[in-house]
Amino acid sequence: METWDAIRSRRNVRSYGEGEIATEDMDRILEAARRTPSAGNQQAWDFVVCTDREQLSQLAMVWRAAGHVAGSAATIALVAPRSDDALMRDLIQFDLGQATMSIMLAAADLGIGSAHAGVHDQGLAGRLLGFPEDRFCAVLITLGTPADRPLAPIQQPNRRPFNDVVHRDQVGMAQPRQCPRLDDEALA
């Protein structure tokens, strides 16, 4: 799949079909995560891959909206160091956001669905994933074959119109012209 198609195909998939993710596909997704740029090249992350059904069922309990973890073929937990420094915390969160999107786009490129889940119960996550108290699990990314339909470029995305969210030079400035080649239809 081309990058642009992967971007247009990417959607949150929370219901998965049967089947495992091939080792070479999982390794490619993890390599995309590992290669993600980070502030100061810190790479302040660890990626914990979970495929055991019992572990996934228990991991689904770390947040009230994490039920889809239990049905995933695999879930990647993004673990990072805790910090008392506000700037460092912000940089780590920024980097984890980039790694999350790298994982999800690499998965979409392979036709693998993905979704995210927050982590509220850090104690349970720590026991299940084996990370020490000086670290935390920032997010879980579920992966698997979409149960409803394969990933394909979304022709009519449920998004605000392009010209409502894109501003040139300043927010709130009226767009001097509507550019037909940049409207939502042309970008589909």
Side-chain angles (χ1 to χ4, degrees), residues 134-186:
D134 66 340
R135 300 183 72 74
F136 73 103
C137 182
V139 68
L140 302 172
I141 303 171
T142 57
L143 302 167
T145 303
D148 58 349
R149 64 189 188 280
L151 294 182
I154 300 168
Q155 299 304 317
Q156 299 288 326
N158 183 13
R159 294 289 177 259
R160 292 171 46 204
F162 183 87
N163 286 316
D164 284 358
V165 298
V166 175
H167 307 275
R168 311 286 182 188
D169 301 319
Q170 290 185 347
V171 174
M173 296 298 294
Q175 298 296 310
R177 60 185 165 85
Q178 297 291 317
C179 184
R181 66 181 179 81
L182 291 181
D183 67 11
D184 286 333
E185 291 297 316

Side-chain angles (χ1 to χ4, degrees), residues 23-141:
T23 301
E24 59 272 9
D25 289 346
M26 182 58 75
D27 287 349
R28 185 171 174 175
I29 292 166
L30 293 165
E31 180 64 11
R34 187 183 75 85
R35 288 174 173 254
T36 300
S38 66
N41 201 27
Q42 293 183 86
Q43 304 171 55
W45 48 47
D46 289 291
F47 307 109
V48 183
V49 183
C50 305
T51 57
D52 178 76
R53 297 268 39 107
E54 180 60 30
Q55 185 182 26
L56 290 168
S57 292
Q58 291 178 18
L59 204 52
M61 294 186 248
V62 299
W63 176 242
R64 66 175 183 239
H68 57 289
V69 171
S72 68
T75 292
I76 301 172
L78 279 65
V79 176
R82 295 181 187 274
S83 177
D84 293 329
D85 180 80
L87 176 60
M88 184 58 64
R89 281 194 310 270
D90 288 347
L91 292 174
I92 288 170
Q93 290 296 332
F94 182 81
D95 290 349
L96 292 170
Q98 291 190 99
T100 297
M101 205 64 219
S102 291
I103 290 167
M104 291 178 156
L105 285 175
D109 182 58
L110 297 166
I112 297 169
S114 64
H116 63 282
V119 180
H120 177 73
D121 189 339
Q122 289 293 323
L124 177 59
R127 287 189 299 280
L128 293 170
L129 301 171
F131 60 83
E133 289 186 17
D134 66 340
R135 300 183 72 74
F136 73 103
C137 182
V139 68
L140 302 172
I141 303 171

